[in-house]
Amino acid sequence: MSLASFRLHNMALAMSIALTMVGCGDDTTPVYVSPAEVTIQNPDPIAPKNQAPIAKINVIDRTEDGIQLSAIDSSDPDGDGLKQFLWQIVQAPASSLLKNSMFNSAEAPGITHIEADQSGEYTVQLRVYDGKIWSEAVSHTFNLKAKIKPKPDFDLVRQQYERYYDANAKQALTLELDRAATNTTVTCELTSKPTNSSAISSIIDAQHCGLTPDQIGRYQVTAKSYSHDGRLGIDLYTFSVNVTPYSVPQPLAYTPSVIQYSQSLKQLIMLDNSSSLLHLYDISNKKSFAMGLPLIGTALGLSADQKFATIMQDGRLSHLDLAQRKLLRSISLGSTVSYADAVFMLDQQNALIFDKNIAATSDYDYNSNQWIYTGTLKYALVALDTGKISKKSITLKGLSSSTINRLQFIRQDDVTLVKLNQQLWTLQQSNDAIALTQVTGTQAFEQCNSNYYDDKRLSFFLANKGQRLFTTCGDGYQYNPKTTRLNYAGKFKSHIHSLDMNTALNRLIVTSSNTGQVEEYDARFLSFQRQLPLPMTNSADHQQSYSSSARAAFYLDDQGKHVVLMKVDPVMGTTNEYAITFSQ
């Protein structure tokens, strides 16, 4: 009998037995039924479990003998912040002391650097932890060549280096290898520096290394040269820094309440705190021009090209051409509506303002321990060329309050976000209406507000073409516009007064509310680069100089130069004084 015939015979026999049992069924004989006749009671739904995070390895730097890895693209499906980044070298060449070495980082983005002690193949594993569960391990394999470590030759560097102090930058030391030397690599290490200095040395290329001091004082640099014949040259270069990195502060005759920078016009745009004036500070000639307003301005919104502005006042909205320094129109908003203290220019012809009060019903959310409102948000679209006001409304679920406080509109490139109290929403415009979609993965950001120096200051900052968002507490979040979700992605060491990004240098400049100083960070990994202490400011009331704090800083060009708005806090009866200084 063939295999197929045997299977058919067994199938027929089974069916025959089943039919016989059905026909002879009694109280004790089981009766076989088809699956279609069986009803299964579904169990109660099970609460969703925490999902494991997903580890991902990125190579951020690679040399012949070393590799630098990052876990910045690791994520968590639940939106939880990643707490730990565990690296382990699971494979290494024979005699290598690195095998089974583990590196654990508790700070995003979980960077580790591996330098070969033996030539050969290495494999490193990464696991990430969200505070509840570890991810599966991911691996990356690479080959490294260990460097030869020859004996030092203390004469080599002295013969092959030109050592000079860069008089143009005034703050940069550059050690340059003699052009006649070939097949030689130079490295620099900062071996001594002043107290509280965070300066580091950097390798510019194979023949140059540099250092930018951040404190006045004495620095020592150890320069090393690896030559083609295996000799190692060492030299020490000591120098002093006696100047600040900033120009002499220029006092302002007014107190700014709101400040923004127009990159296209190269002007600081500032509302006057005590008079109905808008000040345009020209970066090129360092002169300030005052434009008259009908009333004292309370909020400022710039157009996407930064050449036009809308200014909210008490019951009025003014539209200005900043390039022509001209007030185009002053529009009465009426006295029956209480508008929230912010304005947003949707485009060159239309401005958006929100009603401060929300007609809402509420339910208590025990997970977040707060009242969650579902209500009608009223808003107005203002045609800036005609002054016509079109009032509309939109229903939103998930609000944390029935009154709008600390409203903020945020725009960078194609990303537009709105902060309503503790919630973050995306804003889309369609014809003559707007749509708001809540961003998920956010936390209670309002806790950062205790660090504000006044209530009008911005609380969110965008960088990296709208893909990275920062709070005043220094927390960084990766924003995905496709899923409208935030994932935790790193933290500054300082709280933030203001933040600006230079895309050409891939750097962030921050004015710190902790130190009052100006700090620079690498924009990719939020790694601290340097702190730039501010110069002393002369007081107009007393013939003395006082220390200052930074209120805002903006990049001026792709060379990294920037401008800083400084404030001298009241000392010995002085009034609040503001000044502007430029990096040299």
Side-chain angles (χ1 to χ4, degrees):
M1 182 183 291
S2 66
L3 179 60
S5 300
F6 179 74
R7 288 176 175 172
L8 287 173
H9 173 76
N10 286 345
M11 186 181 299
L13 180 61
M15 292 178 65
S16 174
I17 293 173
L19 289 172
T20 302
M21 296 184 69
V22 172
C24 300
D26 55 27
D27 293 338
T28 60
T29 303
V31 177
Y32 289 85
V33 296
S34 69
E37 296 174 308
V38 178
T39 301
I40 300 176
Q41 297 295 330
N42 290 324
D44 293 334
I46 301 174
K49 294 182 179 179
N50 176 67
Q51 300 181 76
I54 301 170
K56 186 174 181 180
I57 298 175
N58 286 76
V59 179
I60 58 176
D61 194 18
R62 177 72 186 265
T63 61
E64 187 180 46
D65 68 320
I67 190 169
Q68 192 171 27
L69 305 172
S70 166
I72 191 171
D73 285 340
S74 300
S75 60
D76 184 82
D78 306 306
D80 298 329
L82 299 180
K83 308 296 184 184
Q84 293 187 51
F85 307 86
L86 183 64
W87 302 88
Q88 182 177 10
I89 299 178
V90 295
Q91 177 183 329
S95 303
S96 172
L97 299 177
L98 295 178
K99 188 173 183 180
N100 297 322
S101 298
M102 300 182 70
F103 314 93
N104 194 357
S105 173
E107 293 187 5
I111 293 178
T112 188
H113 180 80
I114 299 169
E115 184 174 344
D117 63 347
Q118 298 291 333
S119 299
E121 187 175 83
Y122 293 78
T123 297
V124 64
Q125 281 188 350
L126 168 67
R127 290 180 175 89
V128 297
Y129 183 61
D130 65 357
K132 303 171 186 175
I133 187 172
W134 285 92
S135 70
E136 293 291 332
V138 293
S139 301
H140 182 69
T141 301
F142 46 88
N143 281 282
L144 296 178
K145 183 178 180 181
K147 271 187 177 178
I148 299 174
K149 299 178 180 179
K151 295 181 180 180
D153 180 350
F154 286 89
D155 294 326
L156 182 64
V157 174
R158 290 193 180 92
Q159 296 173 356
Q160 296 188 348
Y161 268 97
E162 295 178 11
R163 294 165 293 184
Y164 64 92
Y165 185 68
D166 192 339
N168 294 324
K170 295 183 179 178
Q171 282 289 286
L173 164 72
T174 302
L175 301 178
E176 183 175 357
L177 189 66
D178 191 334
R179 301 290 183 183
T182 58
N183 299 322
T184 310
T185 302
V186 59
T187 64
C188 289
E189 180 184 356
L190 184 60
T191 50
S192 177
K193 60 186 178 181
T195 305
N196 299 325
S197 171
S198 300
I200 57 175
S201 58
S202 60
I203 300 173
I204 301 173
D205 54 37
Q207 290 190 322
H208 298 78
C209 59
L211 167 72
T212 301
D214 59 357
Q215 300 282 348
I216 296 174
R218 193 172 183 83
Y219 295 79
Q220 179 178 274
V221 176
T222 300
K224 298 180 180 180
S225 173
Y226 297 89
S227 70
H228 65 285
D229 57 2
R231 288 186 298 161
L232 171 65
I234 294 181
D235 192 15
L236 295 180
Y237 181 62
T238 303
F239 67 103
S240 297
V241 177
N242 299 310
V243 295
T244 75
Y246 289 107
S247 62
V248 176
Q250 179 183 358
L252 297 179
Y254 47 86
T255 298
S257 60
V258 179
I259 176 171
Q260 294 190 42
Y261 180 62
S262 171
Q263 188 72 245
S264 57
L265 297 178
K266 302 297 181 185
Q267 293 178 350
L268 292 172
I269 315 299
M270 295 177 282
L271 283 176
D272 200 310
N273 186 55
S274 57
S275 62
S276 54
L277 294 173
L278 178 71
H279 299 278
L280 309 180
Y281 186 92
D282 195 311
I283 299 300
S284 59
N285 58 25
K286 298 180 176 54
K287 293 183 178 180
S288 188
F289 179 85
M291 294 181 62
L293 302 171
L295 297 167
I296 294 178
T298 57
L300 169 66
L302 295 182
S303 59
D305 64 2
Q306 303 173 332
K307 296 181 179 180
F308 294 85
T310 50
I311 299 174
M312 283 195 70
Q313 297 131 79
D314 186 11
R316 303 197 70 83
L317 188 68
S318 295
H319 184 213
L320 298 90
D321 185 333
L322 300 177
Q324 300 296 323
R325 298 179 177 178
K326 181 179 179 181
L327 175 63
L328 300 176
R329 184 178 293 273
S330 182
I331 303 166
S332 175
L333 300 176
S335 58
T336 59
V337 179
S338 175
Y339 287 108
D341 196 12
V343 58
F344 181 69
M345 289 189 68
L346 290 167
D347 48 44
Q348 301 290 73
Q349 289 78 36
N350 296 284
L352 169 66
I353 49 179
F354 283 164
D355 191 337
K356 189 171 185 177
N357 299 307
I358 303 171
T361 59
S362 61
D363 294 301
Y364 193 76
D365 184 0
Y366 289 94
N367 292 325
S368 60
N369 293 321
Q370 62 180 341
W371 289 96
I372 301 298
Y373 293 82
T374 299
T376 302
L377 173 64
K378 296 180 181 179
Y379 63 94
L381 297 174
V382 183
L384 298 173
D385 53 347
T386 64
K388 180 181 177 181
I389 301 176
S390 180
K391 297 182 179 180
K392 299 178 179 296
S393 62
I394 185 173
T395 300
L396 299 178
K397 183 177 181 180
L399 300 169
S400 61
S401 174
S402 60
T403 303
I404 294 178
N405 295 308
R406 303 188 188 277
L407 170 67
Q408 184 188 354
F409 296 99
I410 318 164
R411 172 169 55 196
Q412 188 181 76
D413 296 333
D414 297 330
V415 176
T416 300
L417 301 175
V418 180
K419 175 177 173 285
L420 298 173
N421 304 322
Q422 297 184 32
Q423 278 74 40
L424 199 63
W425 307 71
T426 62
L427 186 150
Q428 300 87 28
Q429 180 186 9
S430 58
N431 298 327
D432 59 347
I434 65 166
L436 297 177
T437 304
Q438 191 169 17
V439 176
T440 56
T442 59
Q443 297 178 354
F445 296 125
E446 207 71 12
Q447 63 184 350
C448 299
N449 291 341
S450 60
N451 299 294
Y452 284 10
Y453 69 87
D454 74 45
D455 290 345
K456 298 183 179 66
R457 199 169 63 79
L458 301 182
S459 58
F460 283 98
F461 314 92
L462 283 177
N464 289 26
K465 298 184 178 180
Q467 296 173 5
R468 186 79 71 86
L469 180 142
F470 302 95
T471 70
T472 51
C473 289
D475 294 313
Y477 293 85
Q478 200 77 22
Y479 173 64
N480 187 334
K482 294 183 179 179
T483 60
T484 63
R485 184 176 184 86
L486 290 178
N487 288 309
Y488 185 77
K491 183 177 178 64
F492 288 116
K493 74 172 190 176
S494 300
H495 289 184
I496 304 172
H497 269 318
S498 70
L499 180 148
D500 193 29
M501 179 174 180
N502 186 297
T503 54
L505 299 176
N506 214 1
R507 284 203 177 181
L508 299 170
I509 189 168
V510 171
T511 57
S512 168
S513 59
N514 302 74
T515 65
Q517 302 297 321
V518 180
E519 300 171 354
E520 277 195 315
Y521 291 80
D522 181 282
R524 298 167 298 173
F525 314 113
L526 304 191
S527 55
F528 178 76
Q529 300 294 312
R530 59 174 177 164
Q531 183 181 85
L532 300 171
L534 294 171
M536 302 290 282
T537 306
N538 293 327
S539 169
D541 293 357
H542 305 279
Q543 299 301 314
Q544 299 183 36
S545 295
Y546 296 102
S547 60
S548 304
S549 59
R551 290 310 187 210
F554 305 94
Y555 279 111
L556 301 179
D557 51 38
D558 291 343
Q559 282 70 50
K561 292 187 177 181
H562 54 269
V563 59
V564 181
L565 175 69
M566 300 165 44
K567 179 188 177 184
V568 182
D569 293 323
V571 180
M572 298 172 59
T574 62
T575 58
N576 289 354
E577 295 175 346
Y578 286 82
I580 289 178
T581 184
F582 296 84
S583 62
Q584 301 186 61

